[in-house]
């Protein structure tokens, strides 16, 4: 309750929360009286949205979805090396998991409270129906994150009243039954709501997320049918230029033609608020710095360590949390597929740093060039006095590990080149894209393949690949039924969705997590265990329950 009220008072614009944290209520408001007002009910619904900002656009989510996969290794300043390595330090004491367990279950409780309170609210019947659709969608979203992360843990649809010290496991099937039921309610209640409204849930967003859930739940024919509906019934369109899709000027989810659902951020940092008590030294404090999208920092190397380069706004700050694997780079045929150039950054231009030994370097010209293919000795000799040139073999050791994990080809989708006022302004206005229409094509392809409708699978895969072809190479991008298997699907999902917080879930869903990590990830391949397809339940939770016999740790974890 305190957390719910805290979100409500913040939503109302009150400047200080100190008194409320001390459980003083100078206004005399109670839950019943506050929720009996339109303002109170709208604030409660808004509180159901807010926890999304702790996941989408944030470092913790990036670590739990991109590290320990085939696409990313830990960078030189990775803040979650235990996740990257899947070593003994990644256990039930992990504070990152503790934060997300608490955030997700708090989010579920906000949704449960809203679902119970909305039918008796003073909102108009039409608005009440829409808001119920939104919170049912959000509850499904949070429960999906919970069940895929921890498996069949605690499931409740009732608001928490007082302190609860018991927990009971529910089967995974019960979670998915509730998730799909919630999404059916959302779709029915949001009928006609197809336009973005400040990041609120729409009917196509609910349908698209249900298609993802049907695929995850093994209902393949239904998933394909619903994903096709989202493609055909609305105005979403694939960009013909994949680089433009990620341009900061197209970063508003409401106006980007590919975005079905997004978490909205703002250019106004008074809205993208950061907690004044943030000190950056603990995971808990780091998550309190909720304002703004921060992913533009996470995939960036220390380019400023190199001749001709210094930190600037355009190139962001080299936080070097995650570096791309050789496997990820080699998934692309960059001669025909525009997604390579739209995903990665290989060139940095001299911006005034010390030029060192590069006597022919001119400001504004190339300073650093790291290439995903081998460069000829002749090329390297020709540019030796002009700029630094390294190829894939210069960057990687023979086993696929990095020679220096501060220096790598940047995954550049989340770039924030022009919207920050200063170099050390961390927060970006870039909206976090949760669902893009491209995913629907991939769902149709995978679900159709798995339901023995190979012709439809190839058709929709080729529709997507044609849109992503470099001009003149559309025919080269086409595949046949002989090319299609689950590994190709996952390769295509990496080419399209890499770095967008999907990968760990994709590998788990397809039963490829262990295989791919052991084959492609030099950080985690020797440590990952079969039981790592689930994460450990935080020990802080297990320590306080009074029925430990009914609610025990996930198998294998300490």
């Amino acid at each position: 309750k305190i957390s719910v009220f805290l979100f409500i008072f913040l939503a109302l614009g009150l400047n200080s929360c100190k008194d409320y944290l001390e459980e003083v209520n100078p206004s005399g408001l109670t839950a019943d009286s506050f929720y009996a007002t339109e303002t109170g009910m709208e604030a409660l619904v808004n509180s159901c949205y807010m926890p999304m900002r702790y996941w989408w656009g944030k470092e913790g989510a990036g670590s739990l979805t991109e590290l320990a996969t085939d696409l990313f290794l830990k960078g030189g300043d990775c803040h979650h090396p235990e996740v990257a390595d899947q070593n003994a330090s990644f256990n039930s004491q992990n504070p990152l998991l503790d934060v997300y367990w608490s955030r997700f279950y708090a989010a579920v409780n906000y949704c449960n409270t809203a679902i119970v309170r909305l039918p008796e609210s003073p909102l108009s019947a039409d608005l009440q129906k829409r808001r119920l659709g939104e919170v049912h969608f959000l509850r499904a979203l949070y429960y999906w994150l919970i069940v895929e992360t921890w498996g069949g843990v605690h499931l409740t649809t009732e608001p928490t009243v007082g302190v609860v010290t018991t927990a009971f496991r529910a089967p995974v099937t019960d979670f998915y039954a509730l998730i799909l039921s919630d999404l059916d309610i959302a779709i029915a209640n949001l009928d006609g709501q197809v336009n973005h409204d400040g990041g609120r849930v729409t009917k196509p967003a609910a349908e698209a997320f249900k298609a993802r859930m049907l695929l995850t739940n093994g209902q393949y024919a239904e998933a394909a049918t619903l994903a096709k509906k989202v493609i055909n019934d609305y105005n979403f369109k694939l960009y013909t230029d994949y680089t433009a899709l990620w341009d900061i000027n197209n970063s508003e989810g409401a106006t980007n033609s590919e975005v079905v659902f997004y978490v909205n951020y703002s250019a106004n940092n008074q809205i993208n608020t950061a907690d004044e008590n943030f000190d950056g030294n603990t995971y808990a404090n780091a998550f309190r710095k909720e304002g703004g999208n921060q992913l533009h920092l996470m995939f960036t190397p220390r380019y400023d360590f190199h001749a001709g380069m210094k930190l600037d706004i355009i190139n962001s700050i080299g936080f070097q949390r995650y570096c791309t694997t050789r496997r990820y780079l080699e998934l692309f045929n960059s001669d025909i597929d525009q997604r390579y150039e739209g995903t990665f950054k290989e060139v940095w231009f001299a911006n005034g740093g010390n030029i060192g030994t590069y006597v022919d370097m001119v400001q504004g010209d190339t300073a650093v060039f790291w290439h995903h293919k081998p460069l000829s000795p002749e090329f390297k000799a020709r540019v030796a006095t002009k700029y630094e040139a390294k190829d894939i073999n210069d960057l990687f050791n023979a086993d696929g590990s990095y020679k220096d994990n501060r220096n790598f080809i940047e995954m550049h989708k989340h770039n924030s080149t022009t919207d920050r006022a200063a170099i050390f302004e961390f927060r970006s206005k870039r909206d976090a894209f949760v669902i893009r229409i491209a995913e629907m094509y991939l769902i149709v392809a995978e679900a159709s393949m798995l339901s023995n409708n190979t012709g439809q699978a190839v058709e929709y895969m080729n529709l997507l690949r044609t849109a992503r072809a470099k001009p003149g190479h559309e025919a080269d991008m086409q595949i046949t039924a002989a090319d299609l298997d689950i590994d190709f699907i996952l390769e295509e999902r990496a080419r399209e969705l890499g770095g967008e917080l999907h990968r760990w879930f994709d590998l788990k869903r397809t039963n490829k997590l262990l295989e791919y990590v052991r084959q492609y990830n030099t950080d985690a391949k020797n440590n990952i265990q079969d039981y790592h397809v689930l994460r450990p339940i935080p020990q802080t939770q297990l320590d306080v329950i009074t029925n430990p016999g009914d609610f025990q740790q996930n198998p294998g974890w300490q």
Side-chain angles (χ1 to χ4, degrees):
K1 269 188 179 179
I2 294 171
S3 296
V4 172
F5 273 116
L6 178 57
F7 275 122
I8 290 169
F9 288 126
L10 287 174
L12 289 174
L14 297 179
N15 293 322
S16 173
C17 63
K18 179 180 178 183
D19 291 341
Y20 299 104
L21 291 174
E22 294 173 353
E23 300 187 65
V24 176
N25 187 6
S27 68
L29 285 174
T30 65
D32 289 339
S33 62
F34 189 63
Y35 296 147
T37 68
E38 291 186 11
T39 299
M41 188 52 57
E42 289 283 56
L44 175 59
V45 172
N46 290 346
S47 75
C48 298
Y49 280 91
M50 189 174 290
M52 291 193 298
R53 285 189 169 193
Y54 288 102
W55 184 261
W56 282 279
K58 296 302 186 293
E59 179 179 358
S63 295
L64 289 173
T65 57
E66 303 295 350
L67 290 176
T69 71
D70 58 325
L71 303 187
F72 292 96
L73 299 170
K74 65 177 180 290
D77 192 23
C78 180
H79 275 193
H80 306 122
E82 74 285 356
V83 181
D85 294 340
Q86 294 287 283
N87 60 30
S89 297
F90 186 52
N91 55 39
S92 63
Q93 307 289 342
N94 186 271
L96 182 63
L97 293 173
D98 189 48
V99 166
Y100 276 126
W101 177 282
S102 300
R103 293 297 182 193
F104 291 159
Y105 271 108
V108 166
N109 196 47
Y110 306 150
C111 295
N112 288 342
T113 302
I115 289 168
V116 169
R117 295 276 186 172
L118 271 165
E120 304 302 323
S121 74
L123 301 182
S124 68
D126 178 66
L127 186 57
Q128 188 181 107
K129 182 179 179 182
R130 285 165 49 194
R131 297 293 185 254
L132 271 170
E134 293 170 30
V135 294
H136 274 282
F137 171 95
L138 293 169
R139 184 170 70 178
L141 185 69
Y142 297 128
Y143 264 139
W144 170 67
L145 290 168
I146 288 170
V147 71
E148 288 301 313
T149 303
W150 291 286
V153 286
H154 191 69
L155 180 70
T156 180
T157 59
E158 297 297 323
T160 297
V161 178
V163 177
V164 177
T165 61
T166 58
F168 299 92
R169 282 188 174 273
V172 170
T173 53
D174 287 0
F175 275 84
Y176 274 96
L178 179 62
I179 287 169
L180 292 171
S181 173
D182 274 342
L183 292 172
D184 285 338
I185 294 170
I187 291 167
N189 282 25
L190 293 167
D191 189 38
Q193 301 301 313
V194 298
N195 296 317
H196 294 300
D197 178 17
R200 289 191 180 276
V201 181
T202 63
K203 181 177 179 178
E207 291 175 336
F209 188 60
K210 186 181 177 185
R212 186 193 292 181
M213 294 301 94
L214 289 168
L215 178 68
T216 306
N217 203 42
Q219 295 173 255
Y220 301 127
E222 296 94 327
T225 297
L226 192 53
K228 284 196 301 180
K229 182 179 185 299
V230 178
I231 292 168
N232 296 325
D233 284 7
Y234 305 105
N235 294 321
F236 306 111
K237 294 180 181 179
L238 294 168
Y239 271 72
T240 57
D241 180 353
Y242 193 74
T243 301
L245 165 64
W246 298 103
D247 189 291
I248 190 65
N249 295 313
N250 295 324
S251 65
E252 293 186 15
T255 56
N256 188 303
S257 68
E258 287 211 16
V259 177
V260 181
F261 183 59
Y262 65 98
V263 175
N264 62 329
Y265 290 104
S266 173
N268 181 351
N269 275 336
Q270 291 182 334
I271 297 175
N272 284 345
T273 181
D275 194 300
E276 293 179 357
N277 297 318
F278 171 72
D279 62 17
N281 294 323
T282 66
Y283 293 116
N285 277 338
F287 277 85
R288 289 163 66 185
K289 186 171 181 172
E290 62 176 293
N293 189 332
Q294 297 166 14
L295 289 182
H296 64 99
L297 304 163
M298 305 303 163
F299 301 86
T300 307
R302 283 309 301 263
Y303 64 88
D304 57 305
F305 282 2
H306 298 265
M309 297 304 302
K310 63 181 181 180
L311 287 177
D312 62 14
I313 294 175
I314 289 177
N315 291 294
S316 196
I317 312 170
F319 271 26
Q320 7 143 27
R321 302 294 197 252
Y322 321 124
C323 49
T324 51
T325 61
R326 183 168 187 148
R327 144 82 166 178
Y328 190 15
L329 296 169
E330 291 181 338
L331 283 176
F332 296 80
N333 182 344
S334 58
D335 294 331
I336 65 173
D337 191 337
Q338 59 175 285
R339 287 174 296 189
Y340 182 83
E341 294 171 4
T343 300
F344 298 107
K345 178 176 179 176
E346 293 192 336
V347 179
W348 285 259
F349 297 102
N351 63 2
N354 189 331
I355 65 172
T357 62
Y358 297 103
V359 295
D360 295 334
M361 183 180 291
V362 177
Q363 185 163 339
D365 201 354
T366 300
V368 177
F369 174 45
W370 295 334
H371 196 44
H372 66 295
K373 296 179 181 180
L375 296 170
S376 70
E378 294 78 15
F379 176 86
K380 289 183 177 180
R382 188 168 68 250
V383 303
T385 62
K386 297 180 180 180
Y387 55 84
E388 176 186 321
K390 292 183 177 180
D391 63 21
I392 194 163
N393 294 317
D394 297 319
L395 296 171
F396 290 92
N397 295 308
D399 66 351
S401 60
Y402 264 99
K403 292 183 178 180
D404 182 348
N405 63 358
R406 297 171 301 173
N407 300 323
F408 49 87
I409 295 173
E410 177 181 324
M411 201 290 296
H412 194 57
K413 286 181 178 178
H414 306 297
N415 76 87
S416 183
T417 55
T418 60
D419 67 311
R420 295 175 297 116
I423 294 173
F424 292 100
E425 172 55 67
F426 295 165
R427 294 166 290 179
S428 169
K429 73 174 184 180
R430 174 179 289 280
D431 289 340
F433 300 164
V434 179
I435 305 174
R436 290 195 290 112
I437 195 62
E439 184 189 350
M440 297 300 103
Y441 288 84
L442 292 164
I443 287 175
V444 176
E446 181 179 346
S448 299
M449 180 188 73
L450 293 172
S451 58
N452 298 315
N453 190 346
T454 306
Q456 181 168 272
V458 171
E459 175 190 359
Y460 275 80
M461 183 62 76
N462 282 337
L463 287 170
L464 176 61
R465 287 176 61 82
T466 297
R468 301 313 193 204
K470 286 188 171 181
H473 291 281
E474 291 79 7
D476 298 328
M477 286 283 282
Q478 302 302 289
I479 67 163
T480 67
D483 299 311
L484 201 62
D485 59 19
I486 198 62
D487 291 304
F488 183 87
I489 294 285
L490 285 169
E491 290 173 4
E492 192 67 17
R493 288 185 70 90
R495 287 185 281 263
E496 182 66 39
L497 303 172
E500 298 178 49
L501 312 187
H502 290 272
R503 194 58 173 178
W504 189 85
F505 297 114
D506 285 346
L507 296 183
K508 179 186 174 184
R509 171 175 53 77
T510 56
N511 296 313
K512 288 287 187 175
L513 178 64
L514 302 172
E515 175 189 336
Y516 276 29
V517 171
R518 288 166 178 159
Q519 185 172 356
Y520 300 114
N521 189 297
T522 55
D523 289 340
K525 67 179 183 179
N526 295 324
N527 296 327
I528 195 166
Q529 304 295 321
D530 291 355
Y531 59 82
H532 283 188
V533 295
L534 293 176
R535 269 63 193 268
I537 298 170
Q539 192 62 41
T540 54
Q541 304 300 314
L542 297 175
D543 287 344
V544 297
I545 63 173
T546 56
N547 62 327
D550 298 313
F551 196 84
Q552 298 180 2
Q553 180 59 267
N554 280 332
W557 291 103
Q558 299 297 320

